[in-house]
Amino acid sequence: MSVTRQTKILIIGSGPAGYTAAVYASRAMLEPILVQGIEPGGQLTTTTEVENWPGDSEVQGPDLMLRMEAHAKVMGTEIIGDIINELNLDQRPFMAKGDSGTVYYADAVILATGARAKWLGLPSEEKFKGFGVSACATCDGFFYRGQEIVVVGGGNTAVEEALFLTNFASKVTLVHRRDELRAEKILQDRLFKHPKIETMWFNELVEVIGADAPLGVEAVKVKNVTSGEMTEIVCKGVFIAIGHAPENELVKEVLEMHNGGYVKVQLGSTRTSIPGVFAAGDLTDHIYRQAVTSAGMGCMAALDAEKFLAEQE
Ligand code: FAD
Ligand code: NAP
């Protein structure tokens, strides 16, 4: 028999946006329910040191997210380990179904489903996913002690992953399609100074090469984007760090989107194209995509939802 839950505010997602919305909605006595999703704590649980969260010159990503969870809980949020697989925004109250079988009814919904890692889309990448190909250095770096590793990408994530992987690897090669990194200057400096890291500019990964039995990576083939020259790099691990795409699966058919799938909100607010539905964090932000900006938008979403609910009464 399915369980039915009713709430004034349903918060979907447990990253900085979701937990901050939860703190504010709880303090407004709205008794929110927050559904955590497949990754409790969100993207920061896949990293190590976070150095730009105000008030902490250094904090471990997973620790920070546990603190946020505890904060939301102590303020009065009910936190539920479930994954929403269906969201009906045509009806009031809004209805969401969880993998657990629970059906949630809510007067307002805050979407804080964040983003997920992008992949290159190569058949060989797919074949070796989990067997040498990964998008999470914190999760999988340990498996490559003393081995050679390739990291693909040129943003903050790629540089941080490359640096982190030097804790395990004998050598890390950063393959990037240009000769300029997007990563912050401070991270670039650390990368360029690191004796274990080599950069390979103007190259893109075209194939992951490996053995079938047991399944495992042995090398990657990269192609120079200007000369077309192919090079094979021997490695046991390949970390794809080419950015993240908004996790819009639940709402992509019903809410207005822009900039390639980010939920559109009204300028200066978190209001989406459906009244009573608010969006915060990486799901709606194609520019900043930071923990602190996500938390800020979570706060805005809770305040916007509170105002919406007051107007309904
Ligand atoms: P996310 O953190 O992406 O969380 C999304 C949440 O939604 C997850 O809990 C997920 O389980 C949930 N969810 C998704 N779908 C569903 C569903 N169907 N049902 C229920 N729940 C669902 N930013 C910084 O400011 N500093 C850093 O040092 C930093 N380091 C980073 C390192 C890495 C490796 C990565 C990947 C990102 C880093 N970022 C950093 C960026 C930062 O993590 C994000 O900007 C931030 O986490 C976004 O927060 P969010 O709440 O919008 O979503
Ligand atoms: P990103 O900033 O979007 O960078 C993605 C990188 O991958 C770019 O260098 C891009 O190359 C490259 N790329 C994209 N598609 C590619 C493809 N198909 N083939 C090869 N290369 C490809 O993504 P991110 O590094 O994951 O960062 C996401 C957000 O999280 C950013 O806002 C970032 O600031 C934030 N973040 C912050 C921190 C921190 O503050 N310490 C840490 C991690 C992430 P081009 O440069 O050529 O486009």
Side-chain angles (χ1 to χ4, degrees):
M1 203 180 67
S2 72
V3 176
T4 301
R5 299 297 314 272
Q6 276 168 355
T7 179
K8 290 195 189 83
I9 300 190
L10 176 66
I11 300 167
I12 306 177
S14 57
Y19 282 144
T20 307
V23 167
Y24 276 78
S26 299
R27 294 193 76 250
M29 310 305 280
L30 293 169
E31 299 172 340
I33 287 180
L34 180 148
V35 177
Q36 287 182 308
I38 200 163
E39 190 174 62
Q43 291 170 66
L44 280 188
T45 60
T46 68
T47 192
T48 48
E49 291 93 8
V50 174
E51 295 180 349
N52 48 17
W53 181 255
D56 287 307
S57 55
E58 188 183 312
V59 57
Q60 295 293 308
D63 291 346
L64 178 61
M65 296 319 298
L66 284 175
R67 273 165 42 195
M68 284 195 205
E69 178 180 353
H71 190 175
K73 212 178 266 176
V74 85
M75 289 295 155
T77 304
E78 184 179 348
I79 294 174
I80 299 182
D82 199 357
I83 299 169
I84 302 298
N85 57 40
E86 191 185 325
L87 187 58
N88 188 338
L89 302 177
D90 294 334
Q91 62 175 68
R92 296 279 189 89
F94 302 120
M95 190 268 289
K97 283 188 186 160
D99 277 2
S100 65
T102 302
V103 180
Y104 304 85
Y105 289 98
D107 298 326
V109 171
I110 295 179
L111 299 163
T113 49
R116 58 162 184 259
K118 279 188 198 163
W119 296 93
L120 293 167
L122 303 168
S124 56
E125 172 193 59
E126 192 56 39
K127 176 176 171 181
F128 291 105
K129 256 186 211 170
F131 297 91
V133 173
S134 167
C136 177
T138 339
C139 320
D140 300 329
F142 191 70
F143 301 125
Y144 303 98
R145 291 186 303 278
Q147 313 276 11
E148 298 193 13
I149 290 177
V150 164
V151 175
V152 180
N156 275 335
T157 302
V159 173
E160 282 192 343
E161 304 246 291
L163 288 164
F164 175 72
L165 287 165
T166 59
N167 291 323
F168 314 99
S170 55
K171 180 181 169 191
V172 176
T173 307
L174 183 84
V175 174
H176 184 39
R177 61 186 178 184
R178 298 187 292 137
D179 66 344
E180 207 183 332
L181 298 169
R182 270 177 205 274
E184 287 167 25
K185 188 76 179 59
I186 186 169
L187 291 173
Q188 294 195 29
D189 286 349
R190 286 180 203 161
L191 181 99
F192 295 137
K193 277 187 200 142
H194 205 290
K196 278 192 189 173
I197 302 178
E198 201 170 280
T199 47
M200 204 157 173
W201 302 126
F202 294 119
N203 269 275
E204 57 188 20
L205 196 157
V206 288
E207 192 185 347
V208 181
I209 301 164
D212 282 340
L215 202 57
V217 171
E218 288 170 345
V220 291
K221 199 181 278 181
V222 297
K223 183 180 169 188
N224 187 298
V225 293
T226 45
S227 68
E229 187 192 342
M230 295 283 197
T231 310
E232 243 180 64
I233 309 170
V234 171
C235 62
K236 288 285 181 203
V238 187
F239 287 81
I240 309 296
I242 58 167
H244 288 76
E247 184 59 71
N248 62 12
E249 210 47 44
L250 290 171
V251 292
K252 66 178 181 199
E253 308 296 344
V254 288
L255 289 182
E256 257 181 62
M257 307 275 154
H258 64 165
N259 297 309
Y262 289 83
V263 171
K264 191 172 177 185
V265 289
Q266 288 168 31
L267 196 65
S269 89
T270 59
R271 289 191 296 271
T272 68
S273 51
I274 296 184
V277 180
F278 305 88
D282 280 12
L283 174 66
T284 173
D285 174 16
H286 70 288
I287 300 173
Y288 304 106
R289 295 173 298 177
Q290 301 294 302
V292 70
T293 47
S294 298
M297 284 186 258
C299 156
M300 289 165 66
L303 297 178
D304 287 343
E306 186 186 344
K307 186 160 176 268
F308 168 81
L309 292 170
E311 282 164 5
Q312 300 299 300
E313 282 166 14

